[in-house]
Amino acid sequence: MSFGIARSISPFPSAARAIAAASALAALALSGHSPAAHAADAAPKAQAAAPAKADESIRPFRVHVPQAQLDDLRKRIAATRWPDKETVADDSQGIQLARVQALVKYWGTQYDWRKAEAQLNALPQFVTKIDGVDIQFIHVRSRHPNALPIILTHGWPGSIFEFIKTIGPLTDPTAYGGRAEDAFDVVIPSIPGYGFSGRPKDLGWGPDRTARAWDVLMKRLGYTQYVSQGGDHGSVISDALARQAPPGLKAIHLNMPATVPGPLMKSILAGDAPPAELTDPERKAYQSLSTFFGRNAAYGAMMVTRPQTIGYSLADSPAGLASFTYEKIAAWSDSNGEPERVLSRDAILNDITLYWLTNTGASSSRFYWENNNNNFSADAQKTRDIKVPVAITVFPHEIYQAPESWSKQAYPSLYSYRTVAKGGHFAAWEQPQLFAEEMRAAFKSVR
C-alpha cells in the first residue's frame, strides 16, 4: 500500500509553577471500509438486514511520499523567516538559533527522505482498522521457535523509528550475543494521530482506548499471549493495558514509570523544597522533576491545553516543527545536550520529517489533551491497581530516575527493577543493543 499525503517556561517561579501545574496534567501525556450488509434475497421484506461486519483485514503497507511533497518541504525551508538571536549564552531561552539553523539547512539541502522510506519499506508493514481508526504497524516474526510476542510503543516526539534498530537484536538474538530462547516476535504500531496511523476524528483516543486497541491488534495477529513495553506515552499506554489486564498479557516493561507518590507530586508542583526525610535517590528524583516542571515543561502546557493552537505552527513551519522537536531530543537524550553524539543527524531528521509529511503535529499533540494526567504520578496513573507483573529499567538520563523505593510502592506487582549505565529518554533509539538486552532480562522469567 502506498502512502500519499492527504491526510520554556517563564524564569519567574510563580509563572513557572502556574504553567507547570497545567503541564503536569499531561506533561509526558486508518483507511479501509466496512463491507455493506448483504441483503437476504429470500427473506421476507420486513426482515431487517444483517448488521455490517467490521473490517478486520490486515493489509500490506508501503510508504511512498509524492515527490511534490518533498519539493514543497525544501521550498518552505528555503523561505524560512528566522527570529533574532537569543540574548543569553546558553539554552535558557530555548534551543539556540545557530543550532536550529544548522539542522534546518542540512534538512533542506542534504537530507534524503528516500533513504528513510527505503528503511521502512525493507520491513514488513501493515495497516488494520481498529475502533474506526487505521493502525499502521511493523510486524517482524522471529525465525526462532517459541518467540515471545512483544508490542513496543513509542512516545512524543518519537515514532516507530525509535525501535527499528532493536528489531534485529530482539528477533534474532543469536546474531547479537543472545540465545535462541531470548527471541521475540516484534510488533511496533504508530499511536493513533502519529505517523502513518489514522488521525482520530472523535474524542476519547487517550491511553485507555489505545491500550484496548493494542490488545485487539495482538489478538488479531493470532497471539494469545504477549508482553508490552513503552516509554513516554508508551509507558502510560502500557500502564493502562496492565490495569485492563486482558487475557494473555503476561507482563509489561517500562522505561519511564509513574512512581512519584501523590503528596510528593503536589510538593514538586508547588515548588517546595524536598522533604528532609527523602533518601539520596529520592531527593535526586524530586529535584529532577522540580527542575523539569519549573523550567522545561512549557511544551506540555501548550499541548495539554491548546493542541490545536500549537498545531498551526507545527503544520505550517518546518523550522517551527524542527525546533520544537529537536529541543526535546537534545534535552532528553544521554548526550550532554548534543544528540548527534548518540543519534545521527539523519536519524533525528527521519523522525522530524515523518511528523511533517504526515501532518501530525496537531493530532499528536491532542494525545496530551486526551491523556490529561500527570505521567509521573503513581496516583494519577493508578499504578496500584495493576496486578500484571511489572518490570522497570532506569536509564541514567531519563527525565527523572525512578528510585527503587518509589517503584516498589507504586507497582505492587513489580518483579524486576534494573539500572543501566547509559541511555536517556529515547532508550531504544539511543541504545538499541542495551535496550534489547534489557528486554531479554526483564521478560526471561515470564516466558
Side-chain angles (χ1 to χ4, degrees):
M1 176 178 180
S2 295
F3 174 78
I5 304 300
R7 41 167 247 212
S8 192
I9 289 291
S10 163
F12 302 104
S14 58
R17 295 299 165 184
I19 299 175
S23 70
L25 293 173
L28 284 177
L30 288 168
S31 62
H33 65 278
S34 298
H38 61 82
D41 294 337
K45 292 183 179 181
Q47 181 176 339
K53 183 179 179 181
D55 179 5
E56 298 182 356
S57 63
I58 298 173
R59 308 176 304 276
F61 181 90
R62 285 182 63 82
V63 181
H64 181 73
V65 174
Q67 185 61 39
Q69 300 293 330
L70 303 178
D71 295 341
D72 175 72
L73 171 59
R74 288 198 165 189
K75 289 178 182 178
R76 288 171 180 263
I77 289 173
T80 300
R81 185 173 75 160
W82 295 101
D84 56 326
K85 186 178 183 294
E86 62 278 357
T87 57
V88 293
D90 55 26
D91 62 359
S92 59
Q93 293 181 352
I95 196 75
Q96 299 97 323
L97 176 64
R99 297 183 66 188
V100 179
Q101 284 181 322
L103 179 71
V104 173
K105 180 181 179 181
Y106 179 86
W107 194 14
T109 59
Q110 298 181 59
Y111 171 76
D112 184 0
W113 165 257
R114 295 301 183 200
K115 292 181 179 179
E117 205 169 69
Q119 187 179 31
L120 290 174
N121 288 335
L123 298 167
Q125 298 178 90
F126 305 91
V127 64
T128 190
K129 188 180 292 294
I130 299 175
D131 197 8
V133 174
D134 274 355
I135 304 297
Q136 182 265 343
F137 61 98
I138 295 167
H139 182 204
V140 183
R141 295 184 184 272
S142 174
R143 65 185 178 88
H144 297 291
N146 303 315
L148 177 64
I150 185 170
I151 185 166
L152 305 172
T153 309
H154 65 84
W156 182 92
S159 66
I160 57 175
F161 278 114
E162 288 185 58
F163 296 110
I164 287 178
K165 288 188 177 180
T166 71
I167 294 173
L170 290 172
T171 60
D172 191 12
T174 57
Y176 294 86
R179 306 169 304 166
E181 51 265 40
D182 295 327
F184 293 88
D185 282 358
V186 174
V187 179
I188 309 172
S190 293
I191 297 172
Y194 284 74
F196 298 114
S197 282
R199 290 173 289 188
K201 305 302 182 186
D202 60 337
L203 297 177
W205 276 100
D208 289 330
R209 190 170 178 182
T210 304
R212 289 192 292 271
W214 277 195
D215 184 63
V216 171
L217 174 61
M218 296 303 280
K219 302 291 174 55
R220 191 170 291 179
L221 291 172
Y223 295 124
T224 58
Q225 295 186 325
Y226 65 96
V227 295
S228 176
Q229 196 287 327
D232 196 87
H233 288 329
S235 176
V236 182
I237 291 168
S238 292
D239 273 346
L241 188 60
R243 286 196 305 272
Q244 295 164 9
L249 178 64
K250 297 173 70 67
I252 65 170
H253 177 277
L254 311 170
N255 58 278
M256 195 197 79
T259 69
V260 184
L264 286 180
M265 185 56 74
K266 291 180 180 178
S267 297
I268 289 169
L269 297 177
D272 296 341
E277 66 271 16
L278 296 183
T279 65
D280 286 345
E282 292 169 349
R283 183 175 295 102
K284 180 181 178 182
Y286 186 103
Q287 291 172 334
S288 294
L289 286 172
S290 183
T291 298
F292 172 78
F293 284 117
R295 299 193 64 84
N296 299 315
Y299 78 97
M302 176 63 78
M303 295 165 83
V304 75
T305 60
R306 293 294 185 270
Q308 191 68 17
T309 301
I310 190 61
Y312 298 115
S313 298
L314 301 179
D316 190 61
S317 169
L321 174 65
S323 60
F324 197 65
T325 304
Y326 181 73
E327 179 186 78
K328 296 311 170 192
I329 297 174
W332 296 344
S333 57
D334 187 10
S335 63
N336 197 29
E338 298 180 29
E340 292 85 354
R341 292 181 174 184
V342 294
L343 300 167
S344 70
R345 180 169 280 182
D346 282 353
I348 294 168
L349 285 170
N350 288 347
D351 183 70
I352 295 172
T353 308
L354 178 61
Y355 278 83
W356 177 263
L357 294 174
T358 56
N359 194 14
T360 50
S363 58
S364 61
S365 297
R366 290 189 201 110
F367 193 91
Y368 282 76
W369 190 89
E370 290 281 4
N371 184 10
N372 199 29
N373 252 324
N374 187 301
N375 293 347
F376 304 114
S377 168
D379 288 359
Q381 296 303 327
K382 301 179 182 177
T383 59
R384 293 177 185 85
D385 294 344
I386 293 174
K387 303 298 189 291
V388 171
V390 175
I392 290 171
T393 299
V394 177
F395 290 81
H397 203 77
E398 182 54 86
I399 293 172
Y400 88 113
Q401 290 73 58
E404 187 171 12
S405 56
W406 292 358
S407 300
K408 288 180 176 178
Q409 293 172 25
Y411 294 93
S413 57
L414 181 71
Y415 71 95
S416 175
Y417 174 94
R418 293 164 59 93
T419 61
V420 291
K422 55 186 177 181
H425 184 70
F426 308 97
W429 204 15
E430 299 173 51
Q431 300 293 338
Q433 176 67 24
L434 177 58
F435 177 86
E437 291 169 359
E438 285 301 298
M439 295 307 99
R440 297 172 194 164
F443 293 122
K444 180 178 180 180
S445 65
V446 300
R447 287 180 177 268

